[in-house]
Amino acid sequence: MQRGHKTAIARIFSDLIKADRIVDTAEMECWRNICDKYGIDRDVRIEAREISFADALNAICGSGVPGLKEDLLGDCRAMTVSDGFCAHSEALLMIALTTMLDSRQPLHGEVFSTPKADFNIDIATVLYIEKEYDPETNRAVQTHYRSIFKEFQLAGFHFIYIPRIIDHYRNTDPVLFNDILSFLAPSMSDTGLENTRRNLLNMTTGGFTKDLLCNKCGINELRDTIPSLLIKTGNSFVGEDQYANYLKIEVDEDIADTVRAFVDCFSEMLRSDTFVINTSEERDNQFHFHGFYKQLLDIFLVRRNIRSAVHINPYREEIFFPDIDTKATGLHRRERALYALLLCQGAEGFNFSSPRSAGEMEIYNRRVDWLRRRYAAIYEMFGGSKEIAPDLGVPEIRRPIFSCLRRSIKKLQGLYNPDDYNVTKRTDGSFSVNIEPEIIFVYQHGSNEPVPLKESELYRRWSEI
């Protein structure tokens, strides 16, 4: 057995002993036996503090040592009942160990450990997650929702299904819903409240998985996940940093059977007839504002680290970021038109670096002229005249426009990855704004609702030149 395997074993047992926040004589006796059995010395115990629960468990699964997984799982089970009682918190770690180490177990999972994020999920919360909408699995969840929810509830878990929450918001009287949002965020403008309501009602499980679990919680392993249950099993320290531990179990249209198997396996580990039942459930005209529900609303109401859409209104000469309820300020028509141009250009951007050869210079001049004409067309949409549009091909004219635009965007507060929204100069010298076109919208003349960038009159004029 390698030293890394000993370190992993020490980490797993350390988390298991600390799970119920009580360390007793029986557990210490068991711990001494474990150290003797696996050759865990003081240095190994110190090293174990610096690896995560997930890294430790994955090291054991990939060790290739015959019988190690089975021996370790048996020792873990003995540890949890060494005091005659397996606590709920210990059973949460044991279900993760069982799904990873027991080859006879029909449930198979993956374990993740990530630095604890601002968006914190309560222990024993079960989230349905997916990268993109899966019709069969979602239909099964909706059909069996009550039995799934109650199965988990009776075992001390709280099941979260995003479409169910959104349906509850959607079916609430709009006036009442707006009153609640206004009460919770009194400083937000009417436009901001309406955008918040719209964004909440348009939230999907795929968007939640990407924006919150991947981007905010840092669980990047979920970016390509198929339908799964994500279960918060606990928190632990890696060095001086607190980490959150999760178990992921893949599901399909037989999700109800998977849930029953999971709950049966979990409940068998508990050595008590008494369970703590979480009765948290929203009802008609009633909204929870604690735990998961509060944090979910705060994502939209407290404008912090948001992946905001961008709304371009050339007729009012505005650049608006609706998800943070903020306009870009300190800009003139020339900067707004430049930002719209950059958004139309997309990832390609444009390059003002002068070429060295005469042949390349001719191509460069044609490209700059093409850019001038595109910029002039957009400048006209913002209320200016094509004939007097600034010449972006002249460095002395171009640089102050770029500088002013960058300063304005840099002042925006609350954006997630704010540099993506600003003008970036790449290593090849090209300028671009690195946000996906799916979150860019443009107002049409005489309309109160923006349309996607590529369906807009602004984009049509740009693309025709």
Side-chain angles (χ1 to χ4, degrees):
M1 183 187 302
Q2 297 177 9
R3 184 180 184 85
H5 302 148
K6 297 179 182 181
T7 305
I9 292 170
R11 175 79 224 197
I12 290 170
F13 276 99
S14 175
D15 279 11
L16 203 54
I17 291 171
K18 297 174 183 176
D20 62 355
R21 294 181 292 183
I22 297 173
V23 180
D24 58 36
T25 304
E27 286 175 331
M28 285 296 93
E29 178 63 30
C30 196
W31 171 241
R32 284 191 291 271
N33 294 335
I34 293 298
C35 290
D36 290 341
K37 178 178 179 178
Y38 294 103
I40 298 172
D41 59 22
R42 185 186 187 88
D43 290 339
V44 169
R45 297 199 299 271
I46 293 172
E47 292 170 12
R49 291 169 51 87
E50 303 301 324
I51 65 170
S52 70
F53 178 77
D55 287 342
L57 192 47
N58 288 325
I60 297 301
C61 290
S63 69
V65 178
L68 178 59
K69 292 194 294 185
E70 293 76 11
D71 280 354
L72 179 61
L73 184 58
D75 290 332
C76 288
R77 286 172 175 155
M79 171 74 80
T80 59
V81 296
S82 62
D83 57 358
F85 176 80
C86 179
H88 196 274
S89 53
E90 293 174 317
L92 282 169
L93 288 186
M94 282 304 305
I95 193 69
L97 292 166
T98 301
T99 56
M100 293 281 284
L101 301 178
D102 190 348
S103 57
R104 299 166 301 174
Q105 171 62 239
L107 296 172
H108 296 286
E110 296 179 73
V111 172
F112 308 113
S113 296
T114 61
K116 196 172 179 182
D118 292 336
F119 186 86
N120 179 41
I121 298 168
D122 290 338
I123 294 172
T125 296
V126 181
L127 297 164
Y128 173 79
I129 61 172
E130 60 188 357
K131 176 187 177 184
E132 55 190 21
Y133 185 77
D134 185 277
E136 290 78 15
T137 309
N138 278 274
R139 191 178 302 116
V141 175
Q142 291 160 4
T143 300
H144 302 287
Y145 176 80
R146 179 176 171 79
S147 62
I148 292 173
F149 185 91
K150 293 299 181 183
E151 284 273 358
F152 277 127
Q153 188 180 52
L154 291 173
F157 292 91
H158 185 203
F159 178 56
I160 297 289
Y161 181 55
I162 295 298
R164 186 82 174 193
I165 296 175
I166 301 309
D167 282 346
H168 179 60
Y169 295 159
R170 189 175 287 123
N171 294 330
T172 300
D173 177 73
V175 175
L176 172 62
F177 195 28
N178 283 339
D179 286 345
I180 291 171
L181 295 180
S182 179
F183 168 75
L184 295 176
S187 63
M188 188 173 287
S189 69
D190 291 341
T191 301
L193 289 171
E194 179 55 34
N195 287 324
T196 293
R197 179 175 173 274
R198 182 169 57 246
N199 290 333
L200 264 171
L201 299 187
N202 289 334
M203 186 173 62
T204 63
T205 302
F208 171 82
T209 302
K210 175 188 173 184
D211 295 336
L212 297 183
L213 298 181
C214 297
N215 293 342
K216 291 190 76 66
C217 293
I219 316 176
N220 292 313
E221 296 88 346
L222 303 180
R223 292 194 182 279
D224 295 317
T225 191
I226 65 172
S228 302
L229 297 174
L230 185 72
I231 303 146
K232 176 74 173 289
T233 59
N235 300 311
S236 56
F237 280 89
V238 177
E240 300 301 321
D241 301 317
Q242 192 171 24
Y243 273 55
N245 300 318
Y246 300 93
L247 168 66
K248 188 188 83 166
I249 297 176
E250 294 179 357
V251 294
D252 53 23
E253 60 269 22
D254 295 324
I255 183 173
D257 294 334
T258 303
V259 170
R260 280 191 288 271
F262 175 88
V263 171
D264 287 345
C265 180
F266 179 82
S267 299
E268 287 173 0
M269 299 176 189
L270 300 173
R271 295 294 186 267
S272 173
D273 295 328
T274 302
F275 301 96
V276 177
I277 304 300
N278 187 336
T279 59
S280 180
E281 189 173 1
E282 292 188 313
R283 307 184 190 281
D284 292 345
N285 295 327
Q286 180 188 83
F287 295 84
H288 286 175
F289 194 61
H290 62 83
F292 178 87
Y293 301 92
K294 180 182 184 301
Q295 291 190 88
L296 186 61
L297 286 171
D298 281 350
I299 289 297
F300 294 91
L301 294 171
V302 181
R303 296 318 192 181
R304 182 174 62 227
N305 294 327
I306 301 295
R307 190 67 171 173
S308 177
V310 180
H311 287 185
I312 303 294
N313 192 334
Y315 307 103
R316 295 179 60 177
E317 296 190 49
E318 289 181 350
I319 300 172
F320 185 56
F321 300 83
D323 302 297
I324 58 172
D325 197 22
T326 304
K327 296 177 184 177
T329 59
L331 300 177
H332 301 90
R333 181 180 298 142
R334 60 184 191 175
E335 287 86 23
R336 297 188 183 102
L338 173 61
Y339 198 65
L341 176 68
L342 285 162
L343 295 179
C344 288
Q345 292 287 132
E348 178 186 359
F350 44 80
N351 195 322
F352 292 104
S353 300
S354 298
R356 297 179 180 178
S357 68
E360 290 176 337
M361 179 60 75
E362 183 179 349
I363 296 173
Y364 169 78
N365 287 334
R366 285 201 304 268
R367 177 171 169 78
V368 170
D369 181 63
W370 169 70
L371 188 66
R372 285 193 190 101
R373 289 185 287 116
R374 283 188 157 180
Y375 177 67
I378 293 176
Y379 187 82
E380 183 180 47
M381 287 193 71
F382 275 83
S385 171
K386 284 184 178 181
E387 289 72 25
I388 62 171
D391 186 352
L392 295 182
V394 179
E396 290 76 16
I397 295 175
R398 178 178 70 240
R399 286 168 184 158
I401 301 175
F402 271 83
S403 296
C404 180
L405 177 58
R406 279 172 160 162
R407 286 195 302 270
S408 176
I409 302 300
K410 191 174 182 179
K411 290 178 183 177
L412 296 173
Q413 300 294 316
L415 290 173
Y416 178 78
N417 284 345
D419 289 344
D420 287 355
Y421 292 80
N422 215 329
V423 181
T424 300
K425 185 176 182 181
R426 297 200 291 261
T427 54
D428 65 356
S430 59
F431 294 87
S432 64
V433 175
N434 300 313
I435 55 175
E436 56 271 28
E438 291 79 12
I439 65 173
I440 305 169
F441 298 84
V442 180
Y443 282 87
Q444 306 285 75
H445 184 67
S447 174
N448 293 323
E449 290 294 329
V451 300
L453 171 66
K454 293 186 177 181
E455 298 175 16
S456 68
E457 173 68 12
L458 185 149
Y459 190 83
R460 184 187 68 77
R461 291 196 191 185
W462 170 86
S463 61
E464 287 179 349
I465 296 174

